Amino acid sequence: PASIARSADNGLTWSTGLASLAGGMADIPPYRNLFAGLGTMFYVPRAKVSANYVLYKATLNTLGIGSWALSGNTNPVQFVANTECSTPPQLFVKKTDGAWVLDNSDVLTQITDVDYPATTVPGAVFLNRYLFVMTPCGDIYNSALEDFFTWSALSVIRAENEPDSGVAIAKHQNYVVALKTTTIEFFYNG
């Protein structure tokens, strides 16, 4: 990460919280996205490196212990971890134009299932061992049970109270929340 210079015009300020989490090390560039859990943090700086955004992994004592190039032109990146004890730990890494899964062996694999939507809105939800994403049309797709790589064209529901566009997807308690331009819809996994 030290090779990525901080930029004064990136629109974000340096986070003292991240600096203290990383032991006060000052060579973490301004980041746009951060996921921390189980003693590990993942972050994506706002600046591209060699035409790609880069996902970095760090621990409380070591920065840059892993890095992976994320193809595509969009940023920010969202992170969702599976939190079920029955499955191996995985980190779902998503941009609006692509998605990857980082397994517990630090192997980053792009999701290539033809039924995964080509364009999604920001956000992703892990609920009841399923992963949910939403398209700009308001279609909510879910993965197969405990499998971030498998998606079905039949596993989709549309947020359709009003004919507005999808803006983001989120989780509230045990609900998947479709945030649209003028409406909010709640879904439960039943």
Side-chain angles (χ1 to χ4, degrees):
S3 63
I4 303 173
R6 289 191 213 172
S7 172
D9 62 351
N10 65 12
L12 291 180
T13 57
W14 170 240
S15 169
T16 56
L18 179 59
S20 62
L21 180 64
M25 298 178 176
D27 61 349
I28 300 176
Y31 62 90
R32 171 165 258 188
N33 315 97
L34 172 70
F35 174 83
L38 304 173
T40 304
M41 66 182 166
F42 296 88
Y43 62 97
V44 177
R46 289 194 60 158
K48 286 185 177 183
V49 176
S50 300
N52 288 309
Y53 291 100
V54 177
L55 169 67
Y56 290 99
K57 177 181 178 181
T59 65
L60 295 177
N61 300 318
T62 309
L63 292 175
I65 59 174
S67 65
W68 302 267
L70 304 176
S71 60
N73 292 319
T74 63
N75 196 7
V77 174
Q78 294 88 41
F79 304 100
V80 176
N82 64 349
T83 55
E84 301 292 331
C85 295
S86 62
T87 59
Q90 295 180 325
L91 183 66
F92 179 70
V93 182
K94 176 190 162 301
K95 301 189 320 174
T96 58
D97 62 354
W100 300 263
V101 176
L102 183 67
D103 66 19
N104 60 349
S105 301
D106 285 345
V107 175
L108 185 72
T109 306
Q110 186 164 15
I111 294 176
T112 57
D113 189 310
V114 296
D115 292 318
Y116 182 83
T119 304
T120 60
V121 297
V125 172
F126 182 71
L127 179 66
N128 297 336
R129 302 182 313 195
Y130 291 96
L131 184 65
F132 297 88
V133 297
M134 186 170 72
T135 67
C137 294
D139 294 330
I140 299 172
Y141 287 77
N142 67 270
S143 69
L145 182 70
E146 298 181 349
D147 184 355
F148 291 172
F149 291 103
T150 304
W151 299 77
S152 169
L154 300 177
S155 296
V156 62
I157 188 169
R158 179 167 280 183
E160 59 185 5
N161 276 352
E162 294 291 332
D164 49 347
S165 299
V167 175
I169 188 170
K171 179 179 177 179
H172 176 68
Q173 297 178 354
N174 61 337
Y175 293 97
V176 173
V177 182
L179 303 164
K180 299 175 69 186
T181 53
T182 61
T183 60
I184 299 173
E185 294 185 48
F186 293 83
F187 296 86
Y188 67 94
N189 184 19

